Amino acid sequence: QVQLMESGGGSVQAGGSLKLSCTSSTSSQRTHCLAWFRQVAGNEREGVASIGSDALTSYADSVKGRFTISRDKDKNTLYLQMNSLKPEDSAMYYCASGQIRQSTLEGDDYLYWGQGTQVTVSS
């Protein structure tokens, strides 16, 4: 069983930055894709950014140029650097570990999920 633990969420003003981290309990996910999703209560979950085992990345159009996903395989940790934050970025952010190698923003491709970390951006 893979356990994922997010950290780094918080409250920030528009234009500010946050860096989210997600640590895995095992190293078995080194060869699988990892991703960040977000969800606002009452809305559908949205894929934000993903990174494959080959380090190729995918981003939602809404965050391109502002967010950067990265992974440190030695530390079993996934990161999401979020810059130029907007109020519409406010959501619960979840990291997820996938079942395939290549980068994907499809939620169905992910098997393990963290508990989430809240990001709130005020105007």
Side-chain angles (χ1 to χ4, degrees):
Q1 182 76 14
V2 176
Q3 293 183 330
L4 303 173
M5 178 74 73
E6 302 98 336
S7 62
S11 297
V12 66
Q13 289 191 326
S17 298
L18 283 173
K19 186 173 184 177
L20 305 183
S21 299
C22 172
T23 300
S24 171
S25 60
T26 76
S27 61
S28 62
Q29 301 307 302
R30 290 181 178 180
T31 58
H32 294 78
C33 60
L34 299 172
W36 290 96
F37 289 79
R38 65 186 181 188
Q39 187 171 25
V40 176
N43 290 3
E44 290 188 0
R45 181 180 59 200
E46 174 190 19
V48 176
S50 66
I51 184 166
S53 60
D54 55 4
L56 291 180
T57 58
S58 301
Y59 293 94
D61 288 342
S62 59
V63 306
K64 282 181 181 177
R66 300 188 298 121
F67 291 11
T68 302
I69 189 171
S70 61
R71 66 194 298 175
D72 186 329
K73 291 186 177 181
D74 291 335
K75 295 182 178 179
N76 299 327
T77 302
L78 177 71
Y79 302 100
L80 184 67
Q81 177 66 47
M82 304 186 295
N83 299 327
S84 302
L85 283 162
K86 304 175 181 179
E88 51 264 42
D89 294 319
S90 297
M92 185 71 79
Y93 282 72
Y94 301 90
C95 69
S97 177
Q99 307 180 73
I100 59 178
R101 294 178 179 268
Q102 62 266 35
S103 175
T104 171
L105 291 177
E106 294 295 328
D108 289 344
D109 289 326
Y110 291 86
L111 181 61
Y112 300 105
W113 296 81
Q115 294 298 308
T117 185
Q118 179 68 40
V119 171
T120 303
V121 184
S122 58
S123 58

